[in-house]
Amino acid sequence: LSLQPTIFIIFGGTGDLNSRKLAPALYNLYLDGFLPQQFTIIGTGRTKLTDEVFSEKLLEGINQFSRRGKADEAKWAEFSKHVAYQVSDINDFETYKEFGRRIDHYSKEWNAKPNVIYYLAVSPNFFPVIAENISKAKLGTDTERTRIVIEKPFGHDLESSKKLNALLGKIFDEKQIYRIDHYLGKETVQNIMAFRFANSILEPLWNRNYIQHVQISVTEQLGVGERGDYYDGAGALRDMIQNHLLQLLCLVAMESPVSFSADEVRNRKVDVLKAMRRFTPDDVRLSAVRGQYAKGWIEGKEVPGYREEGKVNPQSNTETFAAMKFFIDNWRWHGVPFYLRTGKRMHQSSSVIMIQFKDVPHYIFPTETAESWQQNRLIISIQPEMSIRLQVQAKRPGLNMVLNTVDMVFDYKGTYTNDAPEAYETLLLDTMLGDQTLFMRGDQVEAAWDLLMPVLNTWQSKTSLSFPNYSADSWGPEAAEALIARDGFHWFSLP
Ligand code: BG6
């Protein structure tokens, strides 16, 4: 790999994202030899800290959150030589002049023009002021070498996302903007494209002629935790469906790109979003369900209801669960429903895609011998289990013709001995390499918002809800089961 000398400037350096995700990912990249010889990580934030105290903080994060556990002392000592801290006021132009001085300093020391990656691990309220100051200080003018990384939410709705894109677009080229959807960095999610487009046997089946319906389910046992202030203004639709679940849907539904290059892949994904049927207000009533968790028990521990969580309005109508049914109006998917659901404080933490194939056209066996009418399913399990199973019917050994469902399994644990890297390791490496394939392009973000606006608007206008409407440790509100049961199906979950 050709890795250029690199400076990471991490805004929100003392924050949660850095200590949980970014620092462990950078450290693991270092251990695996995926950082260039010449690199510096400059954390920046309001708190006054020395370089040493800052790097101690990063070490704590790594020890607690790295997939490899506690850092090795000698390796850490080497790594931490590359860590620095700059106290900053992001509203103050002086801050950016100081970044400029530091960049010059390293350019001289390394005798090379470094890549500079501005990572905005801060609330989106600060994106505009940071971007504008970077521009004013002329720190983003080298379109080959400077990049800006931002985390969702990319706006709150279609209008605000357009505004954000327009603002960033004035300052940076699209090729400099790295919008993170961390689901795209997950190993099992990256594998969806490999599975679909590096195998010839699936494509003939991958359409309305053979597929009856698709389910995408991302459920979490965790509640909203410490993030009440952000989440209460967002909700499950904005927090999960707009980005992660729709991206999974795009990966399942997209046409084959002509090559595995960033824009070809993203063009095919955005085609899917554009082909998705827009909801009328009536459709919202019929095809979208929202819920909010009540208090309850999870694994023997009592947990509060959503309205009792910290920094949440006690009368909040924010949804912590959403389920919806979509159609994609194109030749491949005409008439095939895609059911999506996500929720917090659910019975299981699991992300699964289930593709249900149609039944055989004529069943020759006595029906009482069949264990299940679900004859063929493809189950792509993203986490925590990492596997792909194809469910088929087989004759159970014995003197009678009794059939049952068996799994043909590709299981990561049984197949590979090496650990999968964390999503952030992949995404940070790709940022250094300048590969945007796994990042959201501005038009994708807008297309996803555009699709969901009728739901957001309808939900916002109807506020007489009987929330909470599902208990912790359940599979969500009854209406979600009814949504799919009306079509004769049930939500799928792994045992
Ligand atoms: C984030 C959401 O984007 O994804 C969180 O803001 C959610 O609310 C998280 O918990 C889930 O990610 P993962 O990787 O734990 O499935």
Side-chain angles (χ1 to χ4, degrees):
L1 293 180
S2 102
L3 289 165
Q4 306 296 315
T6 302
I7 300 172
F8 293 91
I9 297 183
I10 303 181
F11 294 86
T14 56
D16 222 38
L17 182 68
N18 195 17
S19 74
R20 277 171 189 268
K21 299 287 184 189
L22 307 183
L26 287 166
Y27 180 61
N28 282 330
L29 285 171
Y30 176 75
L31 293 182
D32 292 335
F34 287 115
L35 288 188
Q37 291 281 329
Q38 290 153 326
F39 77 94
T40 290
I41 299 166
I42 305 172
T44 183
R46 268 171 307 189
T47 323
K48 257 198 174 152
L49 298 175
T50 60
D51 292 350
E52 290 70 35
V53 174
F54 176 64
S55 73
E56 270 305 303
K57 275 183 174 292
L58 296 191
L59 179 61
E60 276 167 35
I62 290 163
N63 286 341
Q64 201 178 343
F65 300 112
S66 166
R67 66 183 163 88
R68 292 191 164 113
K70 256 180 112 130
D72 171 89
E73 246 174 65
K75 293 264 167 41
W76 171 257
E78 280 301 311
F79 179 84
S80 65
K81 287 184 196 149
H82 298 266
V83 174
Y85 184 77
Q86 180 186 319
V87 64
S88 67
D89 172 354
I90 53 181
N91 297 305
D92 182 0
F93 186 54
E94 270 309 309
T95 293
Y96 301 83
K97 290 215 281 227
E98 178 57 27
F99 290 143
R101 282 191 285 273
R102 287 191 184 230
I103 293 166
D104 287 344
H105 164 84
Y106 288 111
S107 306
K108 285 206 188 96
E109 188 180 313
W110 298 339
N111 195 20
K113 272 198 174 237
N115 285 352
V116 184
I117 296 170
Y118 301 98
Y119 201 117
L120 275 53
V122 291
S123 150
N125 301 336
F126 300 118
F127 293 173
V129 63
I130 296 175
E132 272 159 2
N133 274 305
I134 288 176
S135 158
K136 197 167 140 202
K138 304 211 167 27
L139 294 179
T141 45
D142 186 339
T143 58
E144 295 302 321
R145 290 203 174 80
T146 55
R147 288 160 208 163
I148 180 165
V149 186
I150 55 176
E151 291 268 345
K152 68 161 227 286
F154 309 125
H156 191 68
D157 52 19
L158 179 60
E159 203 189 312
S160 51
S161 84
K162 280 187 171 165
K163 234 170 104 183
L164 175 65
N165 282 337
L167 176 118
L168 294 174
K170 267 199 322 214
I171 299 168
F172 302 100
D173 274 3
E174 182 64 31
K175 71 171 187 203
Q176 295 177 274
I177 308 172
Y178 288 69
R179 297 178 190 80
I180 291 220
D181 181 321
H182 78 283
Y183 265 61
L184 299 180
K186 290 182 191 271
E187 197 61 53
T188 41
V189 173
Q190 292 184 65
N191 188 48
I192 298 172
M193 278 190 68
F195 187 64
R196 282 197 58 202
F197 301 126
N199 293 300
S200 63
I201 57 169
L202 295 166
E203 174 58 22
L205 307 177
W206 211 261
N207 57 55
R208 69 183 185 286
N209 297 321
Y210 293 94
I211 292 179
Q212 183 193 55
H213 78 275
V214 176
Q215 295 185 22
I216 301 174
S217 178
V218 177
T219 58
E220 298 177 279
Q221 281 188 319
L222 284 176
V224 68
E226 312 275 284
R227 296 161 72 227
D229 48 350
Y230 148 74
Y231 194 91
D232 209 31
L237 197 69
R238 291 186 171 94
D239 186 50
M240 297 293 288
I241 304 249
Q242 193 270 346
N243 36 76
H244 309 323
L245 278 91
L246 283 176
Q247 281 305 302
L248 295 178
L249 180 146
C250 286
L251 288 166
V252 172
M254 70 196 279
E255 298 300 315
S256 169
V258 296
S259 69
F260 191 58
S261 71
D263 275 331
E264 297 299 344
V265 170
R266 297 186 298 175
N267 288 343
R268 296 295 77 83
K269 286 165 110 190
V270 88
D271 286 347
V272 175
L273 293 170
K274 286 185 193 156
M276 289 176 74
R277 192 178 303 166
R278 269 45 188 168
F279 287 104
T280 63
D282 266 351
D283 294 333
V284 176
R285 201 169 39 79
L286 288 169
S287 301
V289 168
R290 55 182 155 162
Q292 190 191 73
Y293 62 82
K295 66 174 178 211
W297 295 80
I298 291 216
E299 290 180 346
K301 261 179 59 189
E302 190 166 22
V303 292
Y306 177 70
R307 288 175 176 177
E308 288 105 53
E309 300 274 17
K311 300 186 212 155
V312 165
N313 173 356
Q315 271 108 43
S316 175
N317 277 329
T318 297
E319 81 283 356
T320 59
F321 173 98
M324 41 216 334
K325 168 178 160 185
F326 289 106
F327 284 103
I328 303 171
D329 288 330
N330 62 17
W331 278 46
R332 185 185 289 273
W333 296 114
H334 178 82
V336 179
F338 282 71
Y339 301 94
L340 271 52
R341 77 168 167 181
T342 185
K344 295 204 184 282
R345 281 279 182 248
M346 309 262 299
H347 179 60
Q348 208 178 56
S349 285
S350 129
S351 303
V352 183
I353 300 172
M354 193 280 281
I355 293 154
Q356 171 76 58
F357 292 91
K358 290 185 173 171
D359 289 343
V360 292
H362 171 62
Y363 198 74
I364 62 168
F365 306 101
T367 52
E368 64 273 16
T369 66
E371 191 181 66
S372 140
W373 279 104
Q374 258 73 57
Q375 290 149 356
N376 297 125
R377 284 170 157 176
L378 183 74
I379 299 154
I380 303 175
S381 180
I382 291 163
Q383 62 183 31
E385 182 178 309
M386 297 167 73
S387 67
I388 298 180
R389 11 185 110 234
L390 181 62
Q391 292 193 330
V392 296
Q393 299 298 305
K395 178 187 175 302
R396 183 182 291 168
L399 298 176
N400 296 340
M401 193 60 176
V402 175
L403 305 188
N404 69 330
T405 306
V406 295
D407 284 6
M408 295 165 67
V409 185
F410 155 50
D411 167 32
Y412 279 69
K413 264 209 203 113
T415 310
Y416 300 114
T417 47
N418 57 322
D419 249 11
E422 283 274 343
Y424 276 90
E425 293 170 38
T426 300
L427 297 174
L428 282 164
L429 178 61
D430 285 356
T431 309
M432 281 189 282
L433 293 172
D435 181 351
Q436 291 185 305
T437 312
L438 302 182
F439 294 81
M440 298 291 292
R441 206 170 55 191
D443 59 338
Q444 289 179 286
V445 175
E446 288 179 20
W449 280 120
D450 185 54
L451 173 69
L452 296 180
M453 283 320 294
V455 188
L456 286 169
N457 289 335
T458 312
W459 281 2
Q460 205 163 9
S461 67
K462 289 202 189 112
T463 50
S464 54
L465 302 166
S466 46
F467 274 2
N469 62 352
Y470 70 96
S471 55
D473 199 26
S474 73
W475 282 112
E478 276 167 23
E481 195 54 45
L483 166 81
I484 195 165
R486 273 200 295 277
D487 298 338
F489 313 130
H490 292 289
W491 287 107
F492 171 82
S493 61
L494 286 171

